[in-house]
Amino acid sequence: MARRFLLPLFLVLLFALLIAGFPDNHAAAQDGSIISPTPSATRVASPDLLTEPPLLTSAASLNVEFVGQHVSGVFFENVTVDGDYAYLVDAGTGLHIYDVSNPAAPDRIKLVNTPGHSNDVAVAGGYAYLAHEPGIRVFDVSDPSNSFEVGSSEVPTYAQSIALQGASAFMIGGGGLSVIDITDPASPEQVGHVPVYAESVVVSGDFAYVSGGSSGSFYIFNVATPANPFIVGSDYVAPGAWDIAVSNNYAYVTSTREGLLAFDVSDPANPVHVATHDTPGVANGVAVSGNYAYVADMEAGVRVLDISNPANPTEVGFYDTPGSANRLTVSGDYIFVADSLGGLLILRFTGAELPDQQLANRYAPIVRMHVEDKMIPMGVDMALDYATCLKRQPDRTADCETSNVTLSLLASDIWRNDTNAYIDFMGNPTGIGSGSSQDLYENYIMDRA
């Protein structure tokens, strides 16, 4: 009779183990810091995180290599790097601090929970300043593993972006540009304000450069007297003017519709638009280092553009991140990316060296055909452009670079904006006969700028 109860008893014990869970090698202290596992432990998901997708193993790329990653399970809004530490913020949990002294193995050493929505972070002088709805929050990060909040202040701004210069913090958002005196980090105090709807801000010298978000505008403020900021110049970018970077008298603004736009700002009162580079994804973030602009292009990952001639930005590298590349920054040789699925992703641009013939095939012969939805020639065979080819055939990088891949056109190959649908391809499509589709091709084909 005893044996009849062995199986039920085993099942009950197994069920109890599943309910109780297995031991976790990570633990979180009450202040939110992470207690590291023992050296022999296997890395597992931290208990305060939502999910942990698989670590990245391979991805479509050109001249950009994978270095390291920490999958977080949260959607990071922004990232900045100061010395050996990376600081990231997200909408729900707050400030995440990583030791990146070994870029191949970033280690999160602190999580400071901040109720509410944090959109941006800037670090200087041992303090981290968060653009946090509805204002600014200041943290002592002189010892990053033991960070703590020292001050905060509400401002009439939707706290979207923050930049630091000297004893001032410049914060931008739906309520305008706020200038905050941070002489005493424990008591930040607003000293100046200009009502203007905007999304991102950077400061260089006596000027603050602001992207206007959905308004599509680009503004330049004189902030030589922080208590009295005023607009000295402006221009129209495009709807969705999201992020901005400034280098060598040029401002680079991302537009979710147009890509990356370059402006000559040598005369701040008269910014001049000099170039637009339409990225394949949704250009959301930008950082500039040397002769290169690095674009967080959402679903299209990270794009690297040569801006040695600002009037002609040219893509020289990319990396298809696991999710959506939201924002990024560049420090030394490394690109630090806030990615929706990849968490903190660390990449390295290896240089723009390509054989001349590959460059010619990638950039010269691409043409664009505008189509209407009812007239898209589905199933037509054509040599698609490099980005589309690689998306469809990620294991055939060399063939895509030399336009040797001819694929049957799919609906997913059609690029769209508010008014047009179009196809980019290499050379002439085959299989388009006479009639409306042939007429459409002849009437609407154009060289790609």
Side-chain angles (χ1 to χ4, degrees):
M1 290 290 291
R3 293 186 178 180
R4 295 173 56 187
F5 295 96
L6 290 180
L7 181 59
L9 181 59
F10 173 79
L11 294 176
V12 168
L13 290 174
L14 179 60
F15 181 76
L17 284 173
L18 292 174
I19 293 296
F22 291 97
D24 194 337
N25 290 318
H26 284 67
Q30 290 182 353
D31 65 354
S33 61
I34 300 300
I35 301 173
S36 298
T38 58
S40 61
T42 302
R43 182 177 136 189
V44 296
S46 298
D48 54 286
L49 302 181
L50 301 178
T51 59
E52 184 150 346
L55 290 176
L56 185 64
T57 55
S58 62
S61 64
L62 174 69
N63 293 331
V64 180
E65 67 180 9
F66 172 82
V67 176
Q69 178 187 24
H70 186 282
V71 180
S72 64
V74 297
F75 190 105
F76 285 129
E77 296 285 351
N78 223 317
V79 55
T80 191
V81 173
D82 183 60
D84 288 334
Y85 298 94
Y87 301 80
L88 295 94
V89 290
D90 78 296
T93 57
L95 175 63
H96 301 244
I97 304 177
Y98 290 84
D99 182 340
V100 293
S101 55
N102 177 7
D107 180 25
R108 196 182 67 170
I109 59 172
K110 183 72 174 181
L111 167 60
V112 183
N113 290 300
T114 56
H117 198 138
S118 298
N119 291 304
D120 195 11
V121 57
V123 178
Y127 293 93
Y129 301 83
L130 270 63
H132 183 89
E133 301 169 17
I136 185 173
R137 300 182 73 162
V138 187
F139 297 83
D140 185 326
V141 294
S142 55
D143 178 2
S145 62
N146 292 295
S147 303
F148 57 93
E149 186 168 2
V150 297
S152 64
S153 177
E154 292 189 7
V155 296
T157 296
Y158 177 76
Q160 188 67 30
S161 174
I162 189 169
L164 306 176
Q165 181 164 276
S168 298
F170 300 83
M171 188 177 297
I172 206 74
L177 172 66
S178 292
V179 184
I180 302 168
D181 186 336
I182 54 173
T183 302
D184 179 4
S187 300
E189 179 183 4
Q190 179 175 294
V191 295
H193 182 258
V194 180
V196 59
Y197 184 87
E199 181 69 23
S200 188
V201 58
V202 294
V203 180
S204 179
D206 290 337
F207 300 96
Y209 301 83
V210 172
S211 58
S214 59
S215 71
S217 298
F218 161 51
Y219 305 100
I220 302 177
F221 290 82
N222 185 312
V223 293
T225 303
N228 184 35
F230 59 92
I231 295 177
V232 294
S234 64
D235 202 347
Y236 181 75
V237 179
W242 230 242
D243 199 14
I244 186 168
V246 174
S247 178
N248 296 326
N249 286 324
Y250 286 90
Y252 300 88
V253 184
T254 60
S255 164
T256 55
R257 295 191 184 183
E258 300 293 333
L260 184 70
L261 292 85
F263 293 84
D264 183 338
V265 293
S266 54
D267 178 4
N270 295 288
V272 178
H273 175 229
V274 297
T276 297
H277 179 91
D278 188 9
T279 59
V282 177
N284 194 52
V286 61
V288 172
S289 179
N291 288 327
Y292 300 98
Y294 301 81
V295 178
D297 208 32
M298 297 299 281
E299 302 87 356
V302 173
R303 322 304 292 193
V304 184
L305 307 180
D306 185 335
I307 53 170
S308 53
N309 177 7
N312 185 34
T314 303
E315 183 172 294
V316 292
F318 71 89
Y319 193 96
D320 186 9
T321 61
S324 293
N326 193 28
R327 292 295 173 95
L328 48 68
T329 189
V330 177
S331 180
D333 293 332
Y334 301 102
I335 311 163
F336 297 81
V337 186
D339 187 74
S340 64
L341 292 180
L344 171 60
L345 194 62
I346 303 177
L347 308 173
R348 189 173 73 89
F349 176 52
T350 59
E353 296 300 323
L354 280 176
D356 291 342
Q357 187 57 46
Q358 288 187 14
L359 284 173
N361 282 330
R362 277 197 65 196
Y363 300 113
I366 298 176
V367 290
R368 173 166 292 180
M369 178 174 69
H370 283 239
V371 295
E372 298 174 8
D373 286 350
K374 63 181 181 180
M375 304 180 74
I376 292 175
M378 292 295 98
V380 170
D381 291 335
M382 60 176 64
L384 298 171
D385 72 293
Y386 180 78
T388 304
C389 173
L390 204 59
K391 180 178 68 175
R392 292 269 299 277
Q393 300 285 322
D395 58 336
R396 301 179 67 182
T397 302
D399 288 338
C400 288
E401 287 174 348
T402 54
S403 66
N404 288 332
V405 179
T406 299
L407 300 169
S408 181
L409 183 65
L410 301 177
S412 59
D413 299 323
I414 307 300
W415 301 91
R416 302 177 187 277
N417 56 30
D418 284 349
T419 57
N420 294 307
Y422 53 90
I423 309 163
D424 289 347
F425 55 90
M426 311 283 285
N428 294 324
T430 60
I432 297 182
S434 59
S436 59
S437 295
Q438 177 67 36
D439 295 338
L440 194 68
Y441 168 75
E442 293 176 347
N443 291 335
Y444 290 93
I445 193 169
M446 61 178 67
D447 289 334
R448 182 171 181 173

